[in-house]
Amino acid sequence: GVDIGVLFPDAFLLHAAIKRVDYGVALAQAYNRWLVAEWLGSELGIKGAILAPHHDPRAAAAEVRLHAANEDVVAIYLPTSCVEPLYGDSRYDPLYDAAEETGLPVILHSVAAIHPSFPFNLTGFETTFSNHLLSHPFSLISNLVSMIETGVPVRFPKLRIAFTEGGIGWVPWVMLRMDREYLGRRRDVPLLKERP
């Protein structure tokens, strides 16, 4: 039942933990060139998600526009592990504008990490068991709530967003919590005109 395979970066799941902006952008650009040149092509039947360097949203937008015409590029990967600020921040608007313009969905994915950035400050746990268990859903939940509170889906109504490899059990809980908070704190989220 699998129609296509979509390649995502492996070692670059921790791309957001890179702090040097120029280095992070250069690595993303090099990865995207390599992905397109070495892995994508109609004869291989493989599609790919380009890596958006969150470090510089304008550079990320340029990468999206550069590769969007390639029919084998089907998504934009946003690394959530150690990302700061979270993806609801307006600094990412150029990236969302490019994604909406090109029709490419943004796909958020995480990986286990211990880092000072919320929600990866998991130093209270002693094992990789706990760290890995919590890193994926916590980072997805945090970024989803950040995007909703700042109205990303309202400001970019054609933007398609997906959250991967974090399970789905947390989704009803987050929906219930956001709707409940909205009813009592609508003034905190003025862009939202209805329950999340």
Side-chain angles (χ1 to χ4, degrees):
V2 176
D3 296 323
I4 60 169
V6 180
L7 295 178
F8 280 80
D10 183 28
F12 287 137
L13 293 175
L14 279 168
H15 186 260
I18 296 168
K19 293 303 170 198
R20 271 192 54 192
V21 173
D22 59 340
Y23 184 60
V25 170
L27 278 176
Q29 291 168 336
Y31 171 79
N32 293 336
R33 286 192 309 270
W34 174 78
L35 173 70
V36 170
E38 298 294 326
W39 289 98
L40 305 185
S42 56
E43 69 278 358
L44 296 175
I46 297 174
K47 307 294 182 184
I50 60 167
L51 171 59
H54 90 287
H55 312 74
D56 181 344
R58 292 192 188 286
E63 280 296 289
V64 170
R65 290 185 175 102
L66 175 66
H67 296 288
N70 184 327
E71 64 183 20
D72 293 322
V73 171
V74 295
I76 303 160
Y77 164 63
L78 296 181
T80 61
S81 186
C82 310
V83 70
E84 191 174 15
L86 296 173
Y87 283 120
D89 194 283
S90 62
R91 75 187 299 266
Y92 300 113
D93 286 0
L95 170 59
Y96 298 146
D97 185 54
E100 190 177 57
E101 172 192 313
T102 61
L104 290 174
V106 293
I107 312 287
L108 287 80
H109 187 301
S110 191
V111 68
I114 295 177
H115 195 271
S117 296
F118 174 82
F120 289 94
N121 45 353
L122 299 169
T123 53
F125 298 98
E126 296 181 10
T127 63
T128 303
F129 169 88
S130 299
N131 180 6
H132 194 262
L133 181 148
L134 295 172
S135 293
H136 287 254
F138 277 12
S139 67
L140 298 179
I141 292 167
S142 300
N143 279 287
L144 170 65
V145 172
S146 175
M147 294 170 98
I148 295 297
E149 81 170 335
T150 61
V152 170
V154 175
R155 294 183 293 116
F156 299 94
K158 294 180 182 174
L159 179 64
R160 294 179 297 153
I161 307 166
F163 298 83
T164 61
E165 206 180 324
I168 61 167
W170 55 269
V171 174
W173 172 80
V174 169
M175 290 172 61
L176 180 66
R177 294 292 299 172
M178 284 195 296
D179 284 356
R180 181 183 176 280
E181 291 300 316
Y182 176 78
L183 293 175
R185 293 178 170 74
R186 261 178 245 171
R187 288 184 297 273
D188 288 352
V189 287
L191 288 174
L192 302 184
K193 302 304 179 198
E194 58 186 336
R195 290 183 295 175

